[in-house]
Structure formats: C-alpha cells, structure tokens
Amino acid sequence: SSPHLVQVRERIRINGQPISKDLFNKYFWLVYNRLEETKDPAHASMPAYFRFLTIMAFHVFLQEKVDLAVVEVGIGGTYDCTNIIRTPVVCGVSSLGIDHTSILGDTMEKIAWQKGGIFKPGVPAFTVAQPERPLEVLRERAQERKCPLYLCPELDDFEEGCQPLELGLAGAHQRSNAALALQLARTWLQRRGCQGKAGDRDRRPDPTRAPEVSVRCLSYLGLGELKEIPPSTKVLERPVPLAPAFQLTDTMIQGLRDTEWLGRTQVLSHGPVTWYLDGAHTTSSIQACVRWFRQAALNQDKPHDGSEVRVLLFNATGDRDTAALLKLLVPCHFDYAVFCPNFTEVSVANNADQQNFNVTLENALTRCLENQRTWTRLLEEKVGQDPWISSPMWVGGLLQPAPARGSLLLVPPAPRPLNSPALVFPCLAQALRWVAQGRDPHLAAPVASGAHPHPAASSGAVLLREAAAVHVLVTGSLHLVGGALRLLDPALSQ
C-alpha cells in the first residue's frame, strides 16, 4: 500500500505487520544490487522510488511464500507499475474521486477509464455505487477486457436478519469499502475451495506455489463457512449486475470490527487535547471527513464550563484545488486554521522516511501562505451569511463570544490583539506545539521567545491554554497526517 505514514516499511506488510528492519534491509539491498548488476548499460537508469518499492514488495512476497498478496494500485491503474499481474484472483474499484488530475485526467470518466485498466480477462471484478457515467465507463472497460464486473450490494443487505455490523474504521463512507472487502475476500475463498468443509480452516498454503493476488482491497478477512443468499430480483434492471449478498461468518464479522488503518478517521485523546486525523485529500473524501469530524466532536463529552476550541491543521500537495477543499471545511466552525508544510522539522536531514525530495521548503511555505490567504478570504465571505461568525469580531482587544456556539471564549487584554484566525508555521513540530500549548504530554511546550513571530500566536495561545477542551482536525494530506503521527505517537517510529 502507499503512501507510508511514518516509516517506509509500512508499505510492505505480512500478516498485517510492517516487515522488520532486518528483512527490509536484506531485501532492499538484494533487489538493489540485482538491478544494478543487470541494468541496461546504454541508459544506466534504476527504477524510480515507487517502482523500486513495488518490485521489492513482489520479491518479498515471493521469497516469504505468502499465500495471498493484497496490492493497492499507486495512481490510476492502466499505467501504474503495480499493473503487471496478469491473472489476479479478483480486482476491486472503490468509490471514485477527482485526484491526480495531471496524470489521470480532469473528469470522473477519464479517471474511471484509468481505474478500469486493472481489469483482466476472465478475472472477476467488483465495484461500489458510482455516478452513472463513470460506472458506464467501468462497464465498457470490463467488456473490452472480457472481465466479468459486478456491483457490490450495500452493507445493509448483509445486515438483514442479524445485528448491525460494527466497523473498526469510523465514517459512513467506510460502509462501501467494507462491502467491497467482503466481496473480494469471498471470491478468494471460493477460488481456494473454502466452502465450510471440515479441515478448511486449518488448511496450510502450498509453499511451492506462487502467491495469489487480489488487487485494490485493503482488508483481510478470515476463512469460514459461506452460505448463499438468493440474489435480488433487481439484478436485471442494472447496467452492471448486482452481486448477491451472502451470510457472513463470525470471522468476517470480527474482521470488519477489528480492522485498523492509521491516519484514517483516527482519534488520539491526549488529555484536554483531542487530535482527529484523516488523510482526506479530495473533495469527496474531505466531505466524508467533515461528516465524521462533526459527528465525532459532537459525541465528545462537553466541558462543564463550555470552553471548547476547534483548530484545523491543514496542508495539501500536488495539483489539488486547495481552495475547494478549504471551502468544504468552513462549516466545521474552527476557531483557528493552522497551515504548515509536511516536514516534521525545519531540517529533515535526520528523518529520511518523511523527506520529499521533489518539494523544497520554500515552495511548500509559499503554498501554505496561499492557503492562509484563501482561508481568510473564505471567512470574510462567510461574515453576514453564517450566524456563527460575528461581525465585528473585536471589542477592546477581546475575541467576543459567538452566541450560536454557546461558549464564552474570552481573551484577556493583550499587548497585541488577535488579528487573524489563520497562522502559518514552517514545520509540523512548531505547529503542533503551538496548538497544544504544553498540554499534550507527547509534545514539548512552544518556545516563548521568537518562535512564533505571527501576531496571533501570543493572543491565540491564551485561548488554547485556558480552554477545557481543544479539538484538532489534521487533514488535507496523508503525508501531513503521517508527520503528525510521528510526533504524537513516538512508538510508531520504533
């Protein structure tokens, strides 16, 4: 899977765990040296970063004799370097979104065409509910490639006559991902002939056989008895046939419940500061993130004195329309928006896993300043339209309470008044320390002298230090979330 959040070893997992440092080191140099010895002397080039790790992952899976490899496509599908598997067991396409437009195209139809490139002759494929035209493109691609394509039933269909399913990953959008995972897992079980016969659960893989491959699904669900439920009569009315729901095994139910994936709708409660981390970076995923955050923050116990501060920590990379993403986040009613590059420290020399050699600090900070201006403009446009934002926000140097929020957040008189709800910091460490104000035991308190030249830093800090609860949403980039996790959960770096 890609990208990694904290350490590159996360990309290559066996039985759910990143491979060890020793194994990574062993296979890295084995593959590197083999490629170095056999490269074309005329061109003398080595595979680029992602291609090299893909080759290495396949080599690891073969050498370690895994019986099932789950491979997530990097970007798109048709021309992605993971798309060299000729006969995977099953393929899946999750909910489509607009992303990587410079590579995949600027419409859902073009992106659907790219995604359909993973379809293979005679290999079953599944997708979830999609907009009409992109779904037609997927169907056309499946027909071209002689691939049987099916639509996953809603997760509700699996819950008929039984308890509602509990998902380990929060957010309503995870229900379609879970439905897709169930179909892919069941197809692999059928391929293995696991139909609930005696001894199926204890069957061991044949160590002489190459691993079978499932493309795109990111959940592993265990073996168990499968009982067919007759398909709905609506199947014939759909452009893509609807796969039948089936009775879930206890192991499948447990698999859905126990699924974990760092950086996706993840909550870290550190005393009065609660961090909400979600690597959403497209319009559709940001919309899902907003729904999740508003619900999750709502479910938190309210402070007795009502003093609650909401902070947005945001960055976006690549060719993404950050103005469109930020506009979707305005309704969350943040008291502050903090922008910083994805670098954990200003100097990343000692942290190669977090380093991006394609982006300079200067370019990243320029983009953060643009995001700050965009956020300020969006708030100004919202004044008068939204009762949450009062105008003017100033009386005698105090930030006035917002009646609609039902909280009294007052700033004592300060030598410099709070003049902006948006701040920019040069790195994640400084941004997180400012937000936490020494109240998160995993983070050191911000340095008082000269570390925060922004006029808002001193006044805003009072709010953060005195609030009974601080809710922080970190989103816009998986790399940003990964950097934050490295600082907030040091154990992940071990």
Side-chain angles (χ1 to χ4, degrees):
S1 63
S2 63
H4 63 274
L5 294 174
V6 178
Q7 297 192 73
V8 67
R9 296 183 294 110
E10 298 165 24
R11 295 178 183 234
I12 306 174
R13 298 170 180 260
I14 296 180
N15 292 332
Q17 297 301 313
I19 61 174
S20 68
K21 291 180 180 180
D22 288 343
L23 267 187
F24 188 93
N25 186 57
K26 168 188 170 181
Y27 286 120
F28 176 92
W29 288 113
L30 194 155
V31 173
Y32 185 92
N33 291 332
R34 186 77 58 83
L35 291 171
E36 180 70 29
E37 293 164 4
T38 58
K39 69 184 179 185
D40 183 350
H43 298 92
S45 62
M46 292 283 280
Y49 183 79
F50 184 80
R51 292 187 179 195
F52 179 89
L53 289 174
T54 302
I55 296 168
M56 179 177 160
F58 287 138
H59 187 71
V60 170
F61 295 150
L62 287 165
Q63 294 301 308
E64 294 298 312
K65 297 181 172 57
V66 303
D67 60 321
L68 167 67
V70 183
V71 179
E72 182 199 23
V73 171
I75 294 177
T78 299
Y79 305 115
D80 192 79
C81 65
T82 60
N83 196 27
I84 62 168
I85 304 162
R86 295 180 181 177
T87 54
V89 174
V90 61
C91 297
V93 176
S94 55
S95 182
L96 296 172
I98 298 289
D99 197 15
H100 303 293
T101 53
S102 62
I103 300 172
L104 304 182
D106 56 1
T107 68
M108 292 276 277
E109 290 80 5
K110 292 176 182 176
I111 291 171
W113 188 92
Q114 295 280 0
K115 301 280 186 179
I118 67 171
F119 296 156
K120 301 293 186 294
V123 174
F126 295 87
T127 190
V128 297
Q130 311 280 8
E132 182 179 359
R133 182 57 192 143
L135 183 60
E136 288 180 5
V137 173
L138 288 176
R139 182 191 63 184
E140 291 164 3
R141 289 285 272 163
Q143 289 174 341
E144 289 170 11
R145 304 174 81 82
K146 297 179 173 55
C147 162
L149 176 65
Y150 303 94
L151 200 61
C152 292
E154 300 288 339
L155 201 59
D156 295 359
D157 295 343
F158 292 95
E159 296 176 330
E160 290 182 6
C162 64
Q163 293 287 332
L165 294 169
E166 181 184 344
L167 303 186
L169 298 177
H173 58 291
Q174 295 295 351
R175 292 181 66 81
S176 71
N177 291 336
L180 179 60
L182 289 172
Q183 292 292 344
L184 299 183
R186 181 173 188 264
T187 302
W188 182 76
L189 291 173
Q190 290 177 318
R191 169 70 173 266
R192 293 293 300 271
C194 300
Q195 300 291 341
K197 298 174 185 175
D200 276 344
R201 292 169 188 248
D202 298 322
R203 188 187 320 205
R204 294 290 181 267
D206 180 356
T208 64
R209 196 188 69 249
E212 295 177 315
V213 177
S214 165
V215 177
R216 193 103 182 118
C217 171
L218 289 180
S219 296
Y220 170 76
L221 301 168
L223 309 185
E225 185 178 0
L226 301 171
K227 295 181 180 178
E228 189 80 17
I229 294 176
S232 165
T233 54
K234 297 179 183 176
V235 171
L236 299 177
E237 302 171 11
R238 299 173 182 267
V240 174
L242 182 68
F246 53 89
Q247 184 172 325
L248 304 186
T249 66
D250 291 342
T251 314
M252 288 179 168
I253 293 169
Q254 180 184 349
L256 292 176
R257 184 173 59 244
D258 295 346
T259 299
E260 295 179 351
W261 204 254
L262 296 180
R264 279 76 167 177
T265 58
Q266 183 180 0
V267 180
L268 295 175
S269 296
H270 292 179
V273 185
T274 305
W275 305 91
Y276 301 83
L277 303 110
D278 191 80
H281 51 270
T282 66
T283 52
S284 56
S285 60
I286 286 286
Q287 286 171 332
C289 172
V290 166
R291 289 192 295 269
W292 162 72
F293 172 72
R294 296 182 78 171
Q295 186 63 36
L298 205 65
N299 289 339
Q300 290 287 322
D301 293 333
K302 297 300 175 188
H304 295 303
D305 61 0
S307 57
E308 173 189 307
V309 177
R310 292 187 189 179
V311 181
L312 169 67
L313 178 55
F314 179 91
N315 191 41
T317 59
D319 53 9
R320 297 181 177 91
D321 184 353
T322 51
L325 302 183
L326 288 171
K327 188 173 183 178
L328 295 171
L329 290 159
V330 170
C332 289
H333 303 328
F334 293 105
D335 298 286
Y336 297 101
V338 176
F339 303 97
C340 70
N342 293 339
F343 305 126
T344 50
E345 303 281 355
V346 175
S347 171
V348 291
N350 296 323
N351 183 26
D353 277 330
Q354 301 291 149
Q355 193 163 357
N356 185 342
F357 295 96
N358 298 317
V359 180
T360 66
L361 177 60
E362 182 180 0
N363 290 340
L365 281 173
T366 299
R367 185 152 189 177
C368 290
L369 291 168
E370 291 172 356
N371 291 339
Q372 180 194 38
R373 286 192 290 270
T374 299
W375 183 259
T376 304
R377 175 177 54 79
L378 288 169
L379 291 188
E380 289 171 351
E381 291 173 356
K382 207 69 174 158
V383 170
Q385 301 175 25
D386 192 328
W388 170 74
I389 300 178
S390 56
S391 179
M393 296 181 72
W394 291 101
V395 177
L398 301 183
L399 179 64
Q400 293 305 294
R405 289 286 302 278
S407 58
L408 297 175
L409 305 181
L410 300 180
V411 180
R416 293 179 298 184
L418 176 65
N419 63 359
S420 172
L423 295 85
V424 173
F425 291 95
C427 66
L428 256 166
Q430 288 192 24
L432 293 179
R433 287 170 189 149
W434 180 81
V435 171
Q437 288 296 315
R439 306 178 73 188
D440 184 327
H442 294 103
L443 298 169
V447 181
S449 58
H452 308 300
H454 197 292
S458 59
S459 303
V462 177
L463 273 175
L464 294 164
R465 280 196 298 266
E466 297 187 354
V470 179
H471 298 292
V472 191
L473 174 62
V474 184
T475 192
S477 164
L478 278 166
H479 301 285
L480 178 78
V481 167
L485 273 173
R486 178 175 175 268
L487 295 167
L488 295 170
D489 188 355
L492 294 175
S493 299
Q494 302 306 312

